[in-house]
Amino acid sequence: MSQQVEFVKTYVNVIVEHQSDGRKTPKEIRFDDGRRFEIDKVTERRRAAATKVGGTGIRYTVFIQGKERKLFEDDDLWFVEGIEGRI
């Protein structure tokens, strides 16, 4: 039997670098429980839907510890699609 995985929208704090042309570059994700993850690289930024948890916003494709992840910005709130907040 396969077990179905349930994804949750987890709001996070993000350290962001603001460029003079208005672009934002996320640098670090911080969870409320104190966990922190440095963003190694941002490879894409575009408007997209969060298909696993609903909602839309600016989707950043980022690399954290060598793994590709999706980070969303929606009206100045940041969230990830995760399994119980795991990154």
Side-chain angles (χ1 to χ4, degrees):
M1 279 181 123
S2 68
Q3 186 176 0
Q4 188 171 6
V5 176
E6 180 108 9
F7 287 90
V8 295
K9 182 185 287 188
T10 303
Y11 287 95
V12 293
N13 296 306
V14 178
I15 303 300
V16 179
E17 179 180 284
H18 294 266
Q19 282 81 33
S20 60
D21 63 3
R23 287 180 299 130
K24 299 177 187 177
T25 302
K27 295 294 187 179
E28 183 179 88
I29 296 173
R30 296 180 178 180
F31 285 85
D32 288 340
D33 65 6
R35 291 177 296 149
R36 303 166 117 181
F37 295 92
E38 185 176 330
I39 295 170
D40 303 321
K41 176 171 56 170
V42 178
T43 59
E44 183 181 42
R45 177 191 183 278
R46 68 182 183 102
R47 179 161 293 284
T51 58
K52 295 176 184 169
V53 296
T56 61
I58 304 299
R59 183 181 72 194
Y60 294 81
T61 301
V62 302
F63 279 81
I64 298 171
Q65 298 176 348
K67 295 183 181 177
E68 183 179 284
R69 300 290 187 234
K70 306 296 186 197
L71 172 66
F72 294 85
E73 179 189 14
D74 183 21
D75 291 330
D76 292 324
L77 295 175
W78 295 82
F79 68 91
V80 294
E81 298 175 314
I83 302 168
E84 296 179 17
R86 286 189 296 178
I87 186 83

